Amino acid sequence: LTTADTFTAVAQISHFGPRNLPAEPEWSITDERGKRIAKGKLPPLTLETGRVTTIGELKAALADVAAPARLLVTLGAAGTMNTWNIWVYPANQPPPPPNVRIAHSFDQATRDALAVGERVLLFSSPKEGLIVPPNAFFGPDNLRVMPPAQPGMNAVIGSFMPTFWNMRLFNQIGTLGLLCDPKHPALAEFPTEKHSDWQWADLLGRFSAAYSFEVAGAPKSYADALANYAGDVINRSKAIVLDETPPDFRPIVQVIDNYERNSKLGSIFETRVGAGKLFVCALDLDTDLAKRPAARQLRKSLLDYVASAKFAPRHERSLELLKNILTTSP
């Protein structure tokens, strides 16, 4: 959501206890420090056992939220309560800082810019450089062996949805969400915990089970219908294979690989390259930004960091290695 939006939700309670319960539902929205943004009461009612009861609508304007922010929606009734996260971002974003070169390919122009000491933010296309797992049911073990990173084959398809059952049964993308450092200054303007949550769904893509069902042998028409119903998207992200980097080199946003492979995978990381500084983002933060407030906000957070004095990568990776892991065509 953005500060131009009004949060709305329909509240329901599932009750399967031994008897009907009287309830006087109350709700609130607070920020991470406990400051109340909104609150309300819903009409008293009786919760009948053995059914789901719709108890009313929650509505709150977000114009006064100190965005970006993660907010907590709390609903309580009949002696119990539940909570949900929502994320609110500024409705408008300023233009990007002028001292950052934005690149979309690790080509000669990008390498020349790094050679003269420029700071480069590389958006590596999620559509290119992919190692695509072949569909297989109980396939041989060698199907799950990750090839060494090389130009044109250096990344795993991105997915918010974790593995469906396991890779041994259905060979598939195989990743298991994110691990990130929420205190890293690159994420200072993008509220997140150390793991993925729903604000990452559009950023990573493949947030329904449609792809997994197709890999498992469901008709493509069924998978497509599921994806369309969920509003699922593809080509939003990829995870670059970083197996050849030292053990202490950790991406800012690391994709957790399946234990069947256990590769080091990263979607956002940084490195020095000679006199230059390189920041790599393998998420699509360009497409349909007017409709994607989380993508707009993450893009701003990354740009502001790369433009700042805080952008000081500890590690330096060789040009040869970077050509292998970042060149998206053979």
Side-chain angles (χ1 to χ4, degrees), residues 161-176 209 211-217 258:
M161 195 75 168
T163 297
F164 174 72
W165 287 12
N166 60 71
M167 291 183 68
R168 191 165 295 277
L169 183 61
F170 303 113
N171 196 43
Q172 55 192 286
I173 296 170
T175 54
L176 300 167
Y211 179 82
S212 295
F213 274 110
E214 186 174 348
V215 171
N258 196 283

Side-chain angles (χ1 to χ4, degrees), residues 27-43:
W27 62 271
S28 66
I29 301 177
T30 57
D31 65 16
E32 292 187 85
R33 296 182 179 181
K35 178 184 177 181
R36 182 174 291 156
I37 306 299
K39 66 175 182 177
K41 294 184 178 181
L42 299 175

Side-chain angles (χ1 to χ4, degrees), residues 132-287:
V132 181
N135 290 359
F137 180 75
F138 275 123
D141 288 347
N142 60 11
L143 281 182
R144 291 178 290 278
V145 176
M146 187 79 75
Q150 55 193 287
M153 287 184 60
N154 45 37
V156 175
I157 298 170
S159 174
F160 178 78
M161 195 75 168
T163 297
F164 174 72
W165 287 12
N166 60 71
M167 291 183 68
R168 191 165 295 277
L169 183 61
F170 303 113
N171 196 43
Q172 55 192 286
I173 296 170
T175 54
L176 300 167
L178 294 181
L179 178 67
C180 65
D181 178 5
K183 295 182 180 179
H184 193 286
L187 301 176
E189 300 173 66
F190 186 76
T192 183
E193 295 175 281
K194 64 181 180 180
H195 51 78
S196 47
D197 205 335
W198 283 103
Q199 85 275 36
W200 288 95
D202 174 74
L203 296 170
L204 298 179
R206 300 187 189 273
F207 48 75
S208 79
Y211 179 82
S212 295
F213 274 110
E214 186 174 348
V215 171
K220 189 175 187 308
S221 58
Y222 177 86
D224 289 345
L226 179 60
N228 290 335
Y229 175 78
D232 206 348
V233 287
I234 61 172
N235 298 326
R236 284 287 199 246
S237 72
K238 66 183 179 184
I240 296 173
V241 180
L242 301 172
D243 288 340
E244 296 177 58
T245 60
D248 62 342
F249 180 80
R250 291 291 172 181
I252 299 166
V253 175
Q254 182 165 350
V255 176
I256 303 169
D257 199 16
N258 196 283
Y259 68 90
E260 298 269 6
R261 282 188 312 235
N262 202 29
S263 282
K264 186 196 297 186
L265 305 173
S267 287
I268 297 178
F269 57 92
E270 63 185 359
T271 181
R272 298 195 313 276
V273 188
K277 302 174 186 177
L278 176 65
F279 192 96
V280 178
C281 177
L283 283 66
D284 178 0
L285 303 185
D286 293 303
T287 303

